[in-house]
Amino acid sequence: MKLRYAGLMLWLGLLSTQLLHAGSLPEVPPAPVYPNGPVTAAIIDQQEIYVAGGFSAVTYRCQAQGFCTDTVLGVGSLIANDLRSGAIKSAANLERWKSPVLIDESVVINTLEVDHNRGWLIVGGSFQTFGGLARNGLAAIRLDTGALVASWNPSTGNSSSEPVTVNDLEWSADGQTLYVAGNFIRFAGLPRQHLAAVDMSDGSVTAWNPQPDGPVHVLARDADGATLYAGGSFGVIGGQQRRLLASITLYNQGLAQAWEPQLAGTAVYALLRDGNRLYVGGQFTTPRNNLAAFDLTTHALLPWNPDINGRINTLALNGDGSRLFAGGSYTQVGGQSRNNLAMISTADAVLQAWDPSASMTGGEVKQLLFHKMNYFAAPIFNADEYLDHLLVMGSFFGVGAPVPNSLDYYQGYMLEPPKTVASPLTGAFQSAAWNNGQIALSCTSYTGGICAKISYSLDEGVSFQDYAGPISACGVSPCTQHLRYRGIDVEGNSEALHDEVFVRDDEPPVTVADPHGLAMGVKNYQPIALNCTDSGDAGCDKIYYTVDGSEPTLPPGATQKLYDQAIDLGGDQVYTLKFMAVDKAGNAEIPHSEIYTIDRVPPEVIVAPGAGVYSAPITVELRCADCQQVNGLPRIYYTVDGTAPFDPLTMDSLTPQPSDTAIPYTTPILISNATLLRLMSFDDVGNVTEGMGGIYTFIDTQPERRVGFGAASEGMLALLAAAVVMLRRRRLPA
């Protein structure tokens, strides 16, 4: 047997209306409704849920105490529930939907299917009459009124000694053929063993006849529409030996296909196809213990192996297919304790932490149904959040039953994990802002209720303990505490593990400028990097700076900037750079100050008198404001023999060197014959000027003149043109 659903579920108030009062939010959805007998079949179709079983009444337990009271409703063994309003369409409001089976203990319903083509609900089970008319294990009800479809009775024709028990139903791909599985020898008076097919156009039985030699409990159709998977208690099907599980064609009278799963055990009770994977549950020991998975492309047994020690009756997948729910009668999964219901990873068969055993003990789970539920769709809420929800049906002792510790037949489990938050939130803190280094944890379920427990670890997951109050994490500064924690709600949902770091830090950081304050020229100019270190564990957070001499402050002032890359000071001038860092705990250092002089202009040498033609010996002075002697060392060198005054191998260094023929300038130069004067000068930051000072000749008297470095009179143009062929004047590139 299995549960099915179709369409979108908007609000689950199973079997009853959910009563809510403004401002009160019940902890456990859906509505607390308890049937007085087992639920054996259910299906969701669009806005309706149809529920069948061995019950005659339900108890609605009021959740808004003081605004309503518990109510017992006589509803019979088949009811429909409106998912928008929560109203029951049964004997409680017959004007909307009248069930043909009110109270009839002879009717056992095993399976339900919706026929959208005709607007019917197909009911399969074990009965001889239904709604007062003869029906042998199969009947149809109108979805709009609940009235029995009198004209449809495909299983008629058997004698009273040939009862039909229907265990499961499956549609063909086009919805025109209904496949019927169960325990019968004849169907509609025809020899059909345990499997038959009904043509929905006229209700006739088709020629399809796989003839299994034992009961069939469950069916699943493949995506190709040509293959049907059958599970049961048979050894032969479709003319071939196939024990408990087989794939058969939906043509050629239902012949067995080549796949041989080779199961050994009692029966297969549950099949669930997900893409090209088939999950098989039941009572068997080969090739796995009670639950296995096969690849439908290769038909190979998958290594996936949860290893369950008891019978599997029903299976369901969560919304994204990452988790499989297995219900049945067992006590262990993979050697770990689980009572009849478990959540298993579909990727690696690892048992998940979710464990509802505390609220459901004993008995067995017979039906599962997963769906998305908008818990906040009641009129007093306004939200569009659809949450994972699992309906669990069977016979077990439930903690929420009307009579404590009595048999319960229905439970709903919210599968959304809870949410745990730490106070303070993860981060770095000063002692004054952190209450003695303590951390408080609070957990809330998705439905607004409290959590069952919070587990936490202070040793990076080596050991865990239950949270009982604020955690003493950091007693002194500096301190770093790793905290891992997760919440588990009352339904067993466990959230993902939080892994957070808390730092207590009262030490300010330290910032250093690179380079320190200095003078920089063309050769050594570089942007200023600010490097922060923090000895107090919190770590540096931000660096603020100014270049106009103002103090950086917290909060930041209008003129200060956030440091995010090396600082380019810009034009040639003197800068006062001030800066300070703040760490992640909010500690700020005292601002630092560095002075930078930027000079990227080569020095200018004045030659007086300048180059020219003279009638008598002269004395030439070299003047340079930016290249005076430092510590007794000259900054201007010259030659008068036409050779270069510099060592070319050192011109790119911060301290260029003169050539062997260069003469340091200390006093005016006496020139008495034709001379080619060459010069080199440099300033404090290594900016260099080198080149020709001029050509001096002695023919006619020329007035003294003052020219810039490298200038010459108009009368010397011819001589300069010749000299330029051999000599050149250059400044080092910036």
Side-chain angles (χ1 to χ4, degrees), residues 412-695:
Y413 294 96
M414 188 67 71
L415 300 178
E416 295 291 333
K419 191 174 293 185
T420 304
V421 295
S423 179
L425 299 176
T426 180
F429 309 91
Q430 298 175 4
S431 294
W434 190 3
N435 182 23
N436 296 319
Q438 292 190 328
I439 303 171
L441 301 176
S442 59
C443 177
T444 305
S445 73
Y446 244 87
T447 57
I450 61 174
C451 295
K453 68 175 182 178
I454 304 172
S455 296
Y456 72 94
S457 170
L458 295 175
D459 53 13
E460 300 190 44
V462 175
S463 60
F464 282 83
Q465 52 190 309
D466 290 344
Y467 177 78
I471 303 166
S472 295
C474 283
V476 296
S477 172
C479 166
T480 297
Q481 178 64 66
H482 291 264
L483 175 65
R484 296 182 179 181
Y485 60 92
R486 65 155 58 96
I488 302 173
D489 65 18
V490 294
E491 295 182 328
N493 300 303
S494 176
E495 67 182 322
L497 190 67
H498 297 266
D499 189 352
E500 298 175 354
V501 178
F502 297 82
V503 176
R504 183 174 181 177
D505 180 3
D506 296 323
E507 298 294 325
V510 176
T511 308
V512 176
D514 181 21
H516 290 290
L518 78 166
M520 292 187 285
V522 171
K523 294 178 181 178
N524 69 334
Y525 178 80
Q526 66 183 85
I528 313 302
L530 301 179
N531 301 311
C532 177
T533 58
D534 185 24
S535 62
D537 291 358
C540 297
D541 187 22
K542 296 179 176 66
I543 303 175
Y544 296 99
Y545 71 95
T546 66
V547 293
D548 60 359
S550 63
E551 293 284 331
T553 60
L554 285 180
T559 63
Q560 66 192 57
K561 300 178 181 179
L562 176 65
Y563 177 81
D564 57 2
Q565 62 182 358
I567 303 167
D568 189 348
L569 292 174
D572 292 3
Q573 67 181 65
V574 177
Y575 294 91
T576 299
L577 174 65
K578 295 190 176 184
F579 52 90
M580 64 175 241
V582 182
D583 68 15
K584 294 178 181 177
N587 300 299
E589 66 179 327
I590 297 173
H592 301 269
S593 180
E594 300 278 1
I595 297 176
Y596 296 88
T597 300
I598 309 302
D599 177 8
R600 285 168 288 202
V601 178
E604 183 180 11
V605 178
I606 303 299
V607 181
V613 179
Y614 295 90
S615 61
I618 60 172
T619 299
V620 177
E621 292 186 7
L622 304 180
R623 302 168 190 160
C624 178
D626 199 20
C627 45
Q628 301 302 312
Q629 291 189 10
V630 176
N631 296 327
L633 298 176
R635 293 289 186 85
I636 304 175
Y637 291 85
Y638 67 94
T639 63
V640 293
D641 59 1
T643 61
F646 55 86
D647 180 355
L649 298 179
T650 66
M651 290 300 287
D652 289 332
S653 70
L654 291 177
T655 56
Q657 299 298 311
S659 66
D660 293 339
T661 59
I663 302 169
Y665 177 80
T666 57
T667 60
I669 306 166
L670 177 62
I671 299 178
S672 60
N673 52 27
T675 300
L676 173 60
L677 180 64
R678 297 188 65 181
L679 307 173
M680 178 189 78
S681 65
F682 58 92
D683 61 16
D684 292 338
V685 292
N687 298 313
V688 177
T689 296
E690 60 82 15
M692 187 171 64
I695 297 175

Side-chain angles (χ1 to χ4, degrees), residues 262-278:
Q262 297 181 338
L263 272 64
T266 303
V268 168
Y269 296 110
L271 294 175
L272 179 60
R273 184 183 66 80
D274 182 32
N276 66 345
R277 179 179 288 199
L278 182 68

